[in-house]
């Protein structure tokens, strides 16, 4: 059963506007969350992370928001640029023995139109 | 510095055959991970090596899959015999430390097609 879900397979945004990618999780033991970006024919690359002790983490144009009560996180990209066009995966892990075991979502393909 | 490399980039085999995928992590990275993405679905964890030891192999689908990391350098993932449902993209990642805040660097993946 998939514990991390990205229900929007794709998203199209105009350059300069905000992109909001969403992710839901079911496991209440998850306490560390990450976003990865993937270009075609390449492996995923780490983008930003957040611990459950925070509700927001910001890195330049990228901000991740965590709503623990709703088991929901989102990635905001402001302003969006054509180079941001990629597949974005959210991932999560719990603090147990297997804390390096990341559970990924199925990805959201972002298209930023010039 | 070279990133994580994987070989081959693409493999097409028939059901029942054997395939071996190879991953070369970033030099000095003790931690090596295997993941798989099937048919555009989620990326699934397969296993985690620390040096040559299997730290966590809870994601390995069944005993047709065998991962090794002799000498703690490169790793191989063998599928024997391959089944149709094994088709997908197999990613390898490596990290220097084993804390989850230590970034995992992914290779470009091996696309396996079983016909």
């Amino acid at each position: 059963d998939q514990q991390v879900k990205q229900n929007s397979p794709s998203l199209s945004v105009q350059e300069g506007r905000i992109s909001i990618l969403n992710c839901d999780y079911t496991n209440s033991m998850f306490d560390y969350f990450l976003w990865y970006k993937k270009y075609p024919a390449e492996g995923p690359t780490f983008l930003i992370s957040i611990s459950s002790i925070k509700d927001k983490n910001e890195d330049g144009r990228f901000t991740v928001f965590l709503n623990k009560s709703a088991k929901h996180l989102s990635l905001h990209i402001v302003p969006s640029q054509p180079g941001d066009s990629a597949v974005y995966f959210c991932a999560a892990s719990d603090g147990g023995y297997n804390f390096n075991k990341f559970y990924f979502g199925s990805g959201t393909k972002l298209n930023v139109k010039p | 510095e070279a990133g994580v490399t994987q070989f081959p980039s693409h493999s097409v085999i028939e059901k029942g055959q054997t395939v071996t995928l190879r991953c070369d992590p970033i030099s000095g990275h003790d931690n090596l991970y295997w993941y798989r993405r099937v048919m555009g679905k989620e990326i699934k964890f397969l296993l985690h090596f620390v040096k040559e030891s299997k730290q966590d192999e809870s994601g390995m689908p069944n005993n047709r899959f065998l991962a090794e990391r002799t000498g703690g350098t490169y790793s191989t993932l063998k599928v024997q015999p391959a089944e149709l449902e094994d088709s997908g993209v197999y990613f390898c990642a490596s990290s220097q430390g084993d804390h989850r805040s230590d970034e995992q660097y992914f290779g470009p993946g091996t696309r396996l097609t079983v016909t």
Side-chain angles (χ1 to χ4, degrees):
Chain A
D1 187 32
Q2 202 171 339
Q3 300 186 50
V4 176
K5 296 180 182 178
Q6 295 177 256
N7 293 317
S8 297
S10 63
L11 174 68
S12 188
V13 170
Q14 202 68 37
E15 180 179 7
R17 307 294 289 269
I18 184 172
S19 295
I20 300 176
L21 297 98
N22 294 303
C23 179
D24 297 292
Y25 61 95
T26 57
N27 189 340
S28 58
M29 299 303 292
F30 287 153
D31 63 353
Y32 188 72
F33 305 88
L34 312 92
W35 284 93
Y36 280 80
K37 179 170 73 174
K38 183 186 178 306
Y39 292 118
E42 295 182 9
T45 55
F46 170 77
L47 195 55
I48 192 168
S49 63
I50 187 167
S51 164
S52 61
I53 62 174
K54 294 184 173 183
D55 54 18
K56 175 183 173 181
N57 190 26
E58 196 172 345
D59 183 2
R61 297 186 295 114
F62 302 90
T63 303
V64 56
F65 295 92
L66 176 62
N67 182 334
K68 290 183 288 293
S69 61
K71 294 190 180 70
H72 177 85
L73 67 155
S74 61
L75 175 68
H76 292 210
I77 307 173
V78 182
S80 302
Q81 299 173 354
D84 296 329
S85 297
V87 178
Y88 289 79
F89 293 92
C90 68
S93 77
D94 63 40
Y97 173 75
N98 297 336
F99 58 82
N100 276 311
K101 182 176 181 178
F102 290 165
Y103 295 83
F104 283 82
S106 53
T108 296
K109 186 174 184 179
L110 173 66
N111 179 34
V112 180
K113 297 177 287 186
Chain B
E1 182 181 307
V4 177
T5 58
Q6 294 186 245
F7 183 83
S9 58
H10 193 180
S11 179
V12 181
I13 62 171
E14 292 183 354
K15 176 182 171 181
Q17 289 186 322
T18 297
V19 64
T20 300
L21 314 181
R22 173 171 169 143
C23 168
D24 286 80
I26 293 172
S27 177
H29 281 195
D30 288 338
N31 295 270
L32 187 148
Y33 310 82
W34 283 100
Y35 293 88
R36 177 174 74 171
R37 188 182 189 207
V38 174
M39 286 290 288
K41 295 186 178 179
E42 73 271 25
I43 298 172
K44 280 192 173 180
F45 169 91
L46 297 178
L47 86 161
H48 169 207
F49 282 102
V50 178
K51 295 185 180 178
E52 67 275 6
S53 299
K54 291 176 186 174
Q55 180 77 10
D56 178 1
E57 53 183 330
S58 61
M60 294 289 265
N62 50 60
N63 59 10
R64 295 186 294 103
F65 289 75
L66 175 64
E68 294 180 320
R69 193 183 181 196
T70 307
T73 54
Y74 71 91
S75 174
T76 58
L77 180 64
K78 181 160 70 174
V79 185
Q80 179 183 30
E83 297 289 344
L84 297 178
E85 63 263 26
D86 300 332
S87 295
V89 180
Y90 289 76
F91 292 104
C92 174
S94 71
S95 66
Q96 190 161 35
D98 64 355
H99 194 276
R100 55 190 175 175
S101 62
D102 290 302
E103 182 176 343
Q104 293 187 23
Y105 295 86
F106 280 75
T110 292
R111 180 175 295 277
L112 175 63
T113 303
V114 183
T115 63

